Amino acid sequence: MTVILVRHGRSTANTSGTLAGRSAGIDLDDLGREQAEGLVGRLADLDVAAIVRSPLLRCERTVAPLAEKFGLEPLVEDALVEVDYGRWTGRPIKELLGEPLWKVVQQHPSAAVFPDGEGIAQVQARAVAAVRAHDARLAAEHGHDVLWIACSHGDVIKAVLADALGAHLDGFQRIVAEPASVSVVRYTPTRPFVLKMNDTGSDLSGLRGHGGKPAGVAESEAVPGGEVGTGGRADNGS
């Protein structure tokens, strides 16, 4: 199974320089709305089986054009919600730079716990569990390999990607997930494969035939040299 991780489009908080967190009513700005519409063109040629999103408004707005395109009702998943930044929520980023915790978040995020909020390790645990649960559910429902979309937030997506890469959480700040970016992970019975990260503009129709392997190569095995087979439905089973 293959999940397309979509970060919401640019929001009004992104442009104001504040840490929105779970603040209510944070919408997309004009560029963010354009980015949401642009996702339709980038994903239009794919056979998307499901859309799962964070409960926050900016994710709802981002997937709305995709939902209309594919004729799908997005499923709200609380475990994909933005980080609970606690008392940091709503504060200007420039003020947070002087907080002792800022350096921990940058250098040792696995130990970072936001005041009256949650820890980044908690974020990774809940988000990865949710992605894998939906992946398993869709495999059971469809009985074959499908593509599906999960729309979430920057730090949440970075945490999921760190897990998929087999990287320690302390390295997740090396990963970038820009507004309206697409990252793609294929889950197999024994390991994930990271197919794309922070893609902000390409045509993603190539995902339709991805995953074919030479005869005798298991779906969860890598091929030396990166060689893959051609044609056919994506062999992305989980």
Side-chain angles (χ1 to χ4, degrees):
M1 305 294 286
T2 301
V3 59
I4 302 169
L5 299 165
V6 175
R7 184 182 173 189
H8 62 78
R10 195 175 77 175
S11 73
T12 54
N14 294 144
T15 51
S16 68
T18 59
L19 187 62
R22 299 181 182 180
S23 300
I26 302 297
D27 205 342
L28 302 182
D29 66 6
D30 289 342
L31 176 60
R33 287 188 285 274
E34 291 179 12
Q35 291 171 331
E37 293 291 344
L39 285 166
V40 174
R42 294 165 63 196
L43 302 176
D45 290 338
L46 300 180
D47 185 12
V48 174
I51 299 174
V52 181
R53 68 167 177 87
S54 156
L56 297 183
L57 178 62
R58 51 197 186 273
C59 288
E60 177 183 354
R61 300 286 201 221
T62 298
V63 301
L66 291 169
E68 181 177 358
K69 161 64 181 175
F70 294 115
L72 296 170
E73 181 66 31
L75 177 66
V76 176
E77 173 54 72
D78 289 341
L80 292 180
V81 73
E82 177 63 289
V83 180
D84 181 357
Y85 294 110
R87 294 198 305 271
W88 279 26
T89 301
R91 292 181 59 188
I93 299 295
K94 63 182 181 181
E95 288 184 4
L96 299 174
L97 297 177
E99 295 280 355
L101 181 61
W102 182 266
K103 290 184 178 179
V104 180
V105 171
Q106 299 301 314
Q107 304 297 332
H108 190 24
S110 64
V113 179
F114 296 97
D116 294 334
E118 65 182 333
I120 294 177
Q122 292 174 275
V123 174
Q124 184 181 56
R126 63 160 162 90
V128 170
V131 168
R132 288 182 175 272
H134 284 287
D135 205 66
R137 172 181 63 81
L138 290 165
E141 288 179 2
H142 291 268
H144 60 80
D145 312 322
V146 298
L147 292 165
W148 63 285
I149 292 169
C151 182
S152 189
H153 307 268
D155 282 348
V156 180
I157 291 172
K158 287 162 58 176
V160 172
L161 288 172
D163 171 80
L165 290 165
H168 194 283
L169 186 57
D170 284 346
F172 105 125
Q173 297 291 24
R174 302 182 184 191
I175 299 169
V176 176
E178 296 175 287
S181 66
V182 170
S183 301
V184 183
V185 180
R186 178 168 62 89
Y187 288 96
T188 77
T190 58
R191 79 182 83 190
F193 290 89
V194 178
L195 309 183
K196 287 185 178 289
M197 289 176 43
N198 196 43
D199 188 308
T200 57
S202 68
D203 174 2
L204 299 169
S205 59
L207 291 173
R208 285 181 301 172
H210 184 85
K213 295 181 183 294
V217 177
E219 63 181 358
S220 57
E221 294 178 347
V223 180
E227 181 181 355
V228 297
T230 58
R233 175 170 56 80
D235 182 17
N236 306 332
S238 174

